Amino acid sequence: MNSQHFKSLLKEIASQQIFVIDASISKSDYTPIDLSKTNTDLDAFNISSSRDWTIYITNYLKKRNKKVAFGGYLETRGIYNRSDYFNNQNLETERNIHLGLDLWIDAGTSVLAAFSGEIHSFKDNTNFGDYGPTIILKHKQNGFVFYTLYGHLSRASLANLTVGVKVTQGETIAYLGKADVNGDYAPHLHFQIIKDLQAHFGDYPGVCSKQDLEFYKVNTFSPELILKL
């Protein structure tokens, strides 16, 4: 499946209403958020602190009278500098470009399957600044296979999972985790759409370097278009 066919397929699927978190929350209660290096508001608090991030997100939503803050696809961020897992002094190879959509909302919020499919894999990615508990679903539509990744979940979300089990679109597959299990972030869902999983299992890069960006632009797809945000 080439990139154009992949995008056409997803746009066709997106003609229906799709949610990846609690469907009782209206899309009108979502608001965009900029977490790029250009946002000077981030200079006002300690971006290495998950507690300070939680306060920032909470106040951001309260000020706008919204419930969910979203954004981040192909956004260049400074937050990853706090972790040796991402940090590199070489500007070409430093991983700081975000490849998924983040949906910032309280821990315990239900996470829903974007499309019908099956559990491909799951894993607790415990590196500092990583996904924490993660689930990857495999989907087949019109003969095409692709994948969706759900990161920063609760640890309990991985209990009793079985690879190959079928899931239906909109089914609750997990719940969001707290900072002590989700890689040390304010609670949120990292949602990513992937064309070729490249033999990964329970994990896939959610952040890339400048030198790898062109590949990931083709191998991932903006979730905002699917969710109509």
Side-chain angles (χ1 to χ4, degrees):
M1 172 173 50
N2 64 37
S3 179
Q4 191 57 47
H5 285 162
F6 181 52
K7 290 180 179 180
S8 297
L9 167 67
L10 292 177
K11 287 178 180 178
E12 179 182 335
I13 298 171
S15 61
Q16 54 196 293
Q17 184 78 293
I18 296 174
F19 291 87
V20 290
I21 57 172
D22 187 348
S24 70
I25 302 173
S26 169
K27 297 283 180 66
S28 64
D29 283 322
Y30 288 43
T31 185
I33 190 169
D34 174 13
L35 299 181
S36 71
K37 289 182 175 182
T38 63
N39 182 357
T40 56
D41 288 348
L42 306 187
D43 298 332
F45 68 93
N46 178 11
I47 64 171
S48 296
S49 167
S50 57
R51 179 180 179 276
D52 286 3
W53 268 109
T54 301
I55 293 171
Y56 175 72
I57 297 294
T58 299
N59 289 338
Y60 185 92
L61 290 170
K62 185 176 180 180
K63 182 178 179 180
R64 290 159 179 79
N65 194 29
K66 300 293 183 179
K67 296 179 180 179
V68 183
F70 71 90
Y73 181 66
L74 301 187
E75 189 172 71
T76 301
R77 295 175 168 178
I79 184 175
Y80 306 114
N81 291 336
R82 68 187 184 136
S83 172
D84 292 338
Y85 185 61
F86 298 101
N87 196 21
N88 189 307
Q89 296 304 312
N90 186 321
L91 295 180
E92 290 295 317
T93 59
E94 177 187 355
R95 295 171 59 207
N96 61 3
I97 303 172
H98 192 249
L99 298 173
L101 179 74
D102 283 338
L103 298 145
W104 303 84
I105 189 172
D106 294 340
T109 299
S110 57
V111 176
L112 315 178
F115 313 102
S116 294
E118 65 183 52
I119 297 174
H120 171 273
S121 53
F122 52 93
K123 181 181 176 184
D124 193 353
N125 296 287
T126 57
N127 292 299
F128 177 65
D130 206 340
Y131 291 129
T134 307
I135 296 173
I136 296 176
L137 301 183
K138 178 180 179 180
H139 312 281
K140 188 172 183 179
Q141 297 274 352
N142 299 341
F144 294 134
V145 174
F146 65 99
Y147 305 85
T148 53
L149 181 150
Y150 309 78
H152 308 297
L153 311 175
S154 69
R155 195 158 283 153
S157 296
L158 302 188
N160 303 315
L161 291 185
T162 303
V163 169
V165 168
K166 303 295 183 182
V167 297
T168 57
Q169 184 180 52
E171 179 181 343
T172 298
I173 58 169
Y175 296 89
L176 293 184
K178 297 180 180 179
D180 59 347
V181 300
N182 79 352
D184 197 47
Y185 294 100
H188 71 288
L189 174 67
H190 174 100
F191 173 60
Q192 191 166 340
I193 304 173
I194 305 159
K195 185 173 72 171
D196 179 2
L197 200 59
Q198 300 178 279
H200 285 271
F201 190 90
D203 190 16
Y204 189 81
V207 181
C208 78
S209 64
K210 184 177 180 180
Q211 72 175 13
D212 293 331
L213 179 58
E214 292 309 310
F215 168 77
Y216 286 109
K217 280 183 177 179
V218 173
N219 202 46
T220 64
F221 187 80
S222 174
E224 289 189 27
L225 298 178
I226 292 298
L227 299 177
K228 299 187 184 306
L229 297 175

